[in-house]
């Protein structure tokens, strides 16, 4: 993927969401970009990496046979239903 063109002020956008991926100029993150308590999962053509810096773990694609993701935060059923109801009401009111 080519890098985004520079803006008139010379700065580059920090990143953008494409499907399930957060794409930056020099890396691709699975899901949203990492925060302090979330190490982040990074994809490259040759490796899968978890974390950054000294806490980083990395595997080549050739060495992986499967990947399991544990402890993924999800919204509660009540939150999912509230989102659906809000969407239906907004559509009904043509908002």
């Amino acid at each position: 993927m080519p890098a985004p063109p520079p803006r008139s002020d010379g700065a580059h956008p920090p990143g953008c969401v494409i499907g399930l991926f957060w794409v930056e100029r020099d890396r691709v993150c699975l899901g949203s970009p990492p925060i302090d308590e979330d190490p982040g999962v990074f994809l490259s053509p040759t490796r899968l990496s978890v974390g950054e810096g000294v806490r980083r773990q990395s595997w080549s694609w050739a060495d992986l046979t499967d990947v399991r993701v544990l402890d993924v935060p999800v919204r509660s059923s009540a939150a999912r239903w509230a989102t659906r109801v809000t969407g239906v009401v907004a559509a009904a009111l043509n908002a």
Side-chain angles (χ1 to χ4, degrees):
M1 168 180 237
R7 298 188 314 214
S8 59
D9 61 3
H12 294 281
C16 64
V17 174
I18 300 177
L20 296 175
F21 305 97
W22 176 260
V23 179
E24 296 178 357
R25 183 178 180 90
D26 58 347
R27 66 183 184 171
V28 174
C29 184
L30 180 60
S32 61
I35 54 175
D36 292 338
E37 60 271 359
D38 176 18
V41 177
F42 302 97
L43 309 174
S44 76
T46 59
R47 308 196 75 69
L48 169 77
S49 303
V50 177
E52 297 180 278
V54 296
R55 296 177 50 194
R56 177 179 162 185
Q57 293 182 304
S58 185
W59 302 270
S60 72
W61 289 112
D63 294 336
L64 290 173
T65 56
D66 71 331
V67 176
R68 290 188 293 153
V69 179
L70 306 174
D71 300 324
V72 176
V74 295
R75 292 185 297 167
S76 68
S77 294
R80 289 193 307 269
W81 276 105
T83 302
R84 289 181 189 147
V85 167
T86 302
V88 170
V89 170
L93 296 174
N94 199 18

